[in-house]
Amino acid sequence: MSRWTVLGLSRAELAERFAALGQPAYRADQVMRWVYRKDARSFGEMTDLPADLRQLLLREAEIGRLEVAAVQRSADGSTAKLLLRLADGEMVETVLLHHDYGVSVCVSSQVGCAMGCRFCASTRGGLARNLTAGEMLAQVLEAQAAAEGRRVSHAVVMGMGEPLANLGEVLRFVRLLHAPEGFGMSYRNMTISTCGLVPGIERLAEENLPLTLAVSLHAPCDRLRSRLMPVNRRYPLSRLIPACAAYAERTGRRVTFEYALIAGVNDGPGEARGLVRLLGGVLCHVNLIPFNEVPGSGFERSSPDRVEEFRSILAEAGIPVTVRREMGTKIEAACGQLRRRAGKAGEPG
Ligand code: SAH
């Protein structure tokens, strides 16, 4: 029989495993403390467990931590990008970001991605597979271990992959990450980012958790958006924006719209005014992202002047807008870039 994995099990499920081994339920709490609070990488370290139980666990179970294949830190120390090797040899990326307000981890939800956004490196080799909740938790723990003593306070599911295409495991992940006997992160500090899978947004709204929904918009009209993001042909703006508005109403949480500014493509004043019309009345916040140039995509970053003009049109129309602080560009923190360089993602067709 294959071994079971601690990461990915709730406290109740873990207690069941211990019951099957003839052990009391409090063993689950002990093991969770080691795994989530004390950075334990093996059962051998769990010195408050009886020695024979540690031996039994070494045979029957595993923790589910991941091998850190590479770490890149930015020169200013604000960002660290981890390349993690999964048990089957696949690679994922996780990014650790130090902000003024805390420390956030950017978690991948899939190996590769099937969504085909034209500007994104993660999707170039297609989708390899979904990640499990345990593999997403392991990313948080590896980021925590790399955080040099500061507590990881925020999580954004904004790494490789489309989280709403793997919603069951992503929901399991956020619940486990929230569990007070586990990592204990507040839902309010978690964000799920989607390219716009409307049925997934509706399902997420039904969960009614105070998570932040981020939607990658990148264009104010269907013609342009469908060109950049094939998903828009299936779920055009006339369906996407009402689904976002409904999410905001249901959860009381402001929706974040991500908009990467690409020179001469989506960064003109006309697009900014289109965005104002599109988002008028929606409880939202727009995050303008300086585009990360991906070799071979043919897209370039907008000039700082264009970014500022775009920002001021939104701001003057009363739309809350921020320009994402530049982080991680120097270490290729844009989706999928490190993994591609490590040669795991396949070359563009
Ligand atoms: N699939 C999800 C989450 C992963 S992508 C989504 O689409 O939201 C995370 C964010 O990075 C998205 O907003 C995505 O559009 C953006 N992104 C992808 N490639 C980029 C690039 N080269 N430069 C800037 N942002 C990029």
Side-chain angles (χ1 to χ4, degrees):
M1 218 189 82
S2 69
R3 297 194 294 171
W4 51 272
T5 306
V6 174
L7 288 174
L9 296 180
S10 67
R11 196 241 170 223
E13 289 163 338
L14 204 51
E16 270 173 39
R17 302 288 171 152
F18 279 108
L21 298 175
Q23 293 287 328
Y26 67 79
R27 297 289 182 219
D29 301 310
Q30 285 178 298
V31 167
M32 287 181 89
R33 237 179 345 263
W34 280 104
V35 168
Y36 288 99
R37 303 287 163 137
K38 299 196 211 167
D39 196 31
R41 291 178 167 270
S42 92
F43 294 112
E45 293 171 47
M46 303 183 182
T47 45
D48 55 356
L49 300 183
D52 54 345
L53 177 57
R54 273 182 266 158
Q55 287 303 318
L56 186 62
L57 288 173
L58 284 170
R59 285 196 302 276
E60 301 266 326
E62 51 199 46
I63 293 176
R65 289 288 293 261
L66 299 174
E67 181 195 333
V68 182
V71 184
Q72 280 185 320
R73 286 185 194 271
S74 62
D76 66 357
S78 67
T79 313
K81 180 159 189 167
L82 314 179
L83 185 66
L84 302 176
R85 185 174 287 114
L86 307 172
D88 63 0
E90 292 285 1
M91 299 285 209
V92 288
E93 296 176 6
T94 303
V95 183
L96 177 74
L97 302 122
H98 292 274
H99 307 275
D100 317 330
Y101 59 80
V103 178
S104 72
V105 55
C106 179
V107 174
S108 293
S109 57
Q110 298 181 313
V111 182
C113 185
M115 295 295 119
C117 298
R118 298 281 177 259
F119 45 79
C120 180
S122 291
T123 196
R124 294 282 181 90
L127 174 67
R129 69 171 173 89
N130 284 332
L131 294 179
T132 64
E135 287 168 331
M136 291 180 247
L137 279 167
Q139 293 176 58
V140 177
L141 295 184
E142 298 312 339
Q144 180 61 71
E148 293 167 333
R150 291 179 69 191
R151 184 80 184 152
V152 173
S153 53
H154 291 67
V156 295
V157 187
M158 215 182 257
M160 288 170 30
E162 170 48 48
L164 298 190
N166 184 19
L167 185 54
E169 286 301 304
V170 167
L171 282 172
R172 196 175 161 77
F173 161 67
V174 299
R175 291 206 156 89
L176 290 168
L177 186 61
H178 172 261
E181 64 279 8
F183 199 85
M185 185 184 286
S186 159
Y187 286 126
R188 291 177 186 279
N189 290 1
M190 302 181 201
T191 297
I192 295 180
S193 180
T194 179
C195 64
L197 295 180
V198 168
I201 294 172
E202 291 166 351
R203 262 189 64 197
L204 192 61
E206 280 163 26
E207 298 290 322
N208 205 8
L209 299 170
L211 302 164
T212 299
L213 174 68
V215 175
S216 301
L217 202 54
H218 308 320
C221 64
D222 282 324
R223 212 169 67 91
L224 179 56
R225 193 162 191 270
S226 293
R227 186 154 77 78
L228 297 173
M229 305 176 70
V231 67
N232 194 69
R233 296 182 199 137
R234 222 178 341 147
Y235 304 112
L237 293 168
S238 57
R239 290 195 58 195
L240 177 58
I241 302 302
C244 295
Y247 183 92
E249 255 164 55
R250 174 82 188 253
T251 61
R253 307 281 297 167
R254 203 172 275 280
V255 173
T256 298
F257 289 104
E258 307 280 341
Y259 197 107
L261 289 162
I262 310 174
V265 173
N266 66 356
D267 66 342
E271 277 93 27
R273 287 190 290 270
L275 205 53
V276 169
R277 283 192 297 276
L278 184 69
L279 301 181
V282 181
L283 181 66
C284 71
H285 171 260
V286 172
N287 194 14
L288 298 176
I289 311 169
F291 183 70
N292 258 307
E293 293 179 10
V294 178
S297 74
F299 292 129
E300 286 168 22
R301 156 177 305 206
S302 305
S303 69
D305 288 353
R306 288 283 266 199
V307 174
E308 176 46 30
E309 186 185 15
F310 201 97
R311 188 203 64 77
S312 67
I313 291 172
L314 297 187
E316 278 161 26
I319 296 188
V321 55
T322 46
V323 179
R324 183 187 288 174
R325 190 153 72 84
E326 279 275 45
M327 289 181 113
T329 0
K330 295 200 179 57
I331 57 163
E332 297 177 295
C335 292
Q337 293 186 27
L338 183 62
R339 171 169 169 267
R340 285 181 58 71
R341 237 198 13 202
K344 271 277 173 180
E347 290 306 307

